[in-house]
């Protein structure tokens, strides 16, 4: 396992559409492990998409600290969204900024896990928000595109 460098705003790769993963193999699992290490360093993140470490693949991970542990999503599809909540968000790729974004309260999502097996899950609250934030990264969308209100933070 290893740390990877996080790509930040200004790098065009963050605006590109990530591509489907053809085969979930050991190389993908190594990427997932590196992403987890990178996200967990200094407890700085609750989610990370592969594009944020410079890999344009439709992969993201989330651990919002709700006791359900790390969730891995490969080739995800959001099947259903319900409700609307305002959430305060930031992003490891947008250092020093946070702001309020509207997100669904509930999502149902289908994806492949780290073994390439399909699964479906329901999420609400902070996990649903995190899933939607990370999912947007796969299509080149940043939370700053959706700001209802910007909060300046000091880092
Ligand atoms: Ni982000």
């Amino acid at each position: 396992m290893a740390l990877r460098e996080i790509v930040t705003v200004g790098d065009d790769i963050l605006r590109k559409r990530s591509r489907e993963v053809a085969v979930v193999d050991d190389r993908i699992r190594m990427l997932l492990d590196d992403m987890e290490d990178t996200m967990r360093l200094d407890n700085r993140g609750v989610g990370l998409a592969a594009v944020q470490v410079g890999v344009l693949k439709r992969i993201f991970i989330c651990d919002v600290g709700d006791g359900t542990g790390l969730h891995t999503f490969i080739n995800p599809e959001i099947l259903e969204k319900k409700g609307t909540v305002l959430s305060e968000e930031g992003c490891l790729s947008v250092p020093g900024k946070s702001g309020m974004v509207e997100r669904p309260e509930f999502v149902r999502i289908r994806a492949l896990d780290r073994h390439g097996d399909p699964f479906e899950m329901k999420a609400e609250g902070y996990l649903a928000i995190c899933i939607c934030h990370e999912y947007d990264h796969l299509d080149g969308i940043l939370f700053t595109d959706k700001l209802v209100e910007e909060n300046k933070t000091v880092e």
Side-chain angles (χ1 to χ4, degrees):
M1 301 220 270
L3 295 175
R4 301 213 186 184
E5 198 176 326
I6 292 185
V7 175
T8 54
V9 275
D11 190 322
D12 285 350
I13 197 172
L14 288 172
R15 293 308 193 173
K16 293 189 174 151
R17 185 182 184 278
S18 293
R19 290 179 289 269
E20 305 277 326
V21 175
V23 185
V24 181
D25 55 13
D26 285 345
R27 212 165 138 249
I28 295 292
R29 282 183 282 273
M30 189 182 295
L31 169 65
L32 286 166
D33 292 342
D34 289 354
M35 285 171 62
E36 183 180 357
D37 283 354
T38 304
M39 178 182 80
R40 292 201 192 282
L41 182 72
D42 302 328
N43 287 320
R44 53 189 177 168
V46 294
L48 193 71
V51 63
Q52 293 182 272
V53 294
V55 179
L56 275 174
K57 292 188 188 300
R58 300 187 77 79
I59 297 174
F60 64 82
I61 57 173
C62 292
D63 182 351
V64 298
D66 61 357
T68 62
L70 185 80
H71 299 279
T72 297
F73 302 89
I74 299 169
N75 297 344
E77 276 178 86
I78 292 181
L79 304 172
E80 195 183 348
K81 298 178 185 177
K82 275 193 235 162
T84 309
V85 281
L86 266 183
S87 73
E88 182 173 5
E89 297 184 18
C91 179
L92 294 175
S93 293
V94 189
K97 258 194 190 179
S98 67
M100 303 302 287
V101 180
E102 272 190 6
R103 298 287 185 190
E105 314 186 88
F106 167 92
V107 293
R108 195 159 58 86
I109 184 169
R110 179 163 60 205
L112 302 178
D113 66 16
R114 64 181 284 125
H115 306 291
D117 295 324
F119 68 98
E120 203 178 295
M121 73 177 272
K122 294 172 181 171
E124 51 189 16
Y126 196 25
L127 182 57
I129 290 165
C130 184
I131 286 171
C132 292
H133 175 119
E134 299 311 328
Y135 186 89
D136 275 353
H137 276 297
L138 308 187
D139 292 326
I141 299 165
L142 299 175
F143 83 96
T144 46
D145 301 337
K146 297 187 162 179
L147 281 181
V148 176
E149 194 184 303
E150 185 175 326
N151 307 330
K152 293 273 183 209
T153 58
V154 181
E155 287 212 354

